[in-house]
Amino acid sequence: MFSVLTLLKPRRLVELGVHNGASFLAACQAVRHLQTESECVAVDNWIGDAHAGTHSSSVFSDFRNNLAQYKEFAGYLRMNFSEALPQFAEGSIDLLHIDGFHTADAVRRDFDQWIGKMSDQGVILFHDTNEFRSDFGVWRFWRKIREQYPHVEFGHSHGLGVLVVGKNSPLTKSMTDTVFGLLSVRANEFLQVIFGNVGRLSWAPKPVASPPPTAPAVAPVDVTGLNSRIAELEHQLHKYNKSIYGRARRSIRRIRMRAKGSKST
């Protein structure tokens, strides 16, 4: 989103299908950071659908609270896409993000209804071009429509199609370089690698490793007491060797040793 806003500097950005606003708020953040003179409009009924599920009331309230920081250039229309059409003049939108109901018929209808609102610099983003589950049909429509316009396609994650519908779009200016123009095959492959790898990075803070458990403290050895104990044991051993029991044991040991010696010879 930062990249496309850097290149286009759109005068008006419209997103169809907002949910919690992750991509729309990213666009608002980019507008503020890049200081582009862009108007950002989010369109959604915030009710939900068969693909996104039914939204709780907190989804819209959280989005509205997060959007408040961008109120000087961003707003929303809480209505269906077709109901919002009269709010925009023909040729007044530079960047349109289609991310509503994801069947092929729904995406085709959104494109057909809104293409007339696009300016001669227009670019349309299609989310979920790489989503093939259930009745998701964005990929079907994308594979047909991309044959009619210059485009950039990102296949990682859920997929994103970037369709250049305006003949004077800043993205088409680089098409004169057929070797490595921005929309050339080589550039598309290069962008796939760059954005694909960046998309796989995890920006979540790494958990701080807990310090290893402290080893239980070892009581200091009482060297004085140990020496006394050794001396006591040595004294008792000496007394035993001098006693009758000690002398008898040594005598028995000598007899055994002699017996072993005689057997070995």
Side-chain angles (χ1 to χ4, degrees):
M1 192 63 76
F2 270 70
S3 298
V4 73
L5 282 169
T6 299
L7 294 169
L8 295 180
K9 296 179 175 59
R11 291 159 296 182
R12 175 175 289 154
L13 177 155
V14 176
E15 181 166 299
L16 305 178
V18 183
H19 197 180
N20 56 19
S23 56
F24 186 76
L25 293 169
C28 293
Q29 183 183 9
V31 167
R32 171 167 290 173
H33 177 78
L34 299 169
Q35 297 183 349
T36 61
E37 295 182 0
S38 305
E39 178 188 63
C40 302
V41 184
V43 181
D44 201 320
N45 56 26
W46 279 279
I47 296 174
D49 55 42
H51 291 159
T54 303
H55 299 343
S56 66
S57 59
S58 63
V59 172
F60 174 67
S61 60
D62 289 346
F63 166 74
R64 186 173 56 184
N65 292 336
N66 290 326
L67 186 65
Q69 60 186 308
Y70 304 115
K71 62 182 179 181
E72 66 270 20
F73 60 82
Y76 63 88
L77 296 173
R78 192 173 189 183
M79 56 184 67
N80 294 331
F81 302 160
S82 57
E83 295 173 337
L85 278 168
Q87 304 293 328
F88 301 92
E90 297 292 306
S92 65
I93 300 174
D94 291 335
L95 181 60
L96 177 69
H97 185 186
I98 297 179
D99 193 15
F101 195 47
H102 282 44
T103 63
D105 289 340
V107 177
R108 183 181 296 106
R109 181 174 61 251
D110 293 339
F111 177 83
D112 291 342
Q113 288 182 340
W114 288 84
I115 185 64
K117 305 296 182 179
M118 302 305 298
S119 71
D120 63 351
Q121 301 181 34
V123 172
I124 301 179
L125 306 178
F126 293 88
H127 190 225
D128 287 325
T129 56
N130 196 38
E131 189 63 66
F132 305 102
R133 61 186 172 90
S134 186
D135 60 342
F136 277 54
V138 182
W139 65 274
R140 295 182 184 275
F141 178 74
W142 170 251
R143 290 187 178 183
K144 294 179 180 179
I145 200 65
R146 70 183 179 183
E147 301 299 325
Q148 303 177 31
Y149 297 92
H151 66 277
V152 178
E153 183 175 357
F154 298 102
H156 64 278
S157 187
H158 300 287
L160 182 71
V162 182
L163 197 71
V164 183
V165 298
K167 61 181 180 180
N168 294 322
S169 172
L171 294 184
T172 61
K173 293 180 180 178
S174 61
M175 286 294 287
T176 54
D177 181 4
T178 57
V179 178
F180 202 75
L182 186 59
L183 302 181
S184 68
V185 174
R186 290 190 180 184
N188 209 327
E189 293 173 348
F190 176 75
L191 293 173
Q192 287 265 12
V193 173
I194 295 298
F195 282 88
N197 281 281
V198 171
R200 281 191 289 270
L201 295 175
S202 174
W203 300 104
K206 295 182 179 180
V208 179
S210 57
T214 304
V218 179
V221 178
D222 184 1
V223 180
T224 304
L226 184 60
N227 290 337
S228 300
R229 179 58 177 164
I230 293 174
E232 181 183 355
L233 291 174
E234 288 178 340
H235 178 67
Q236 291 180 2
L237 181 59
H238 180 71
K239 288 177 61 177
Y240 174 79
N241 289 333
K242 292 294 186 180
S243 67
I244 186 172
Y245 302 105
R247 292 196 301 269
R249 185 177 180 182
R250 287 197 302 274
S251 299
I252 294 172
R253 186 180 300 168
R254 286 196 294 267
I255 294 171
R256 287 178 177 175
M257 292 299 293
R258 290 172 183 172
K260 288 182 181 179
S262 62
K263 287 180 182 180
S264 63
T265 56

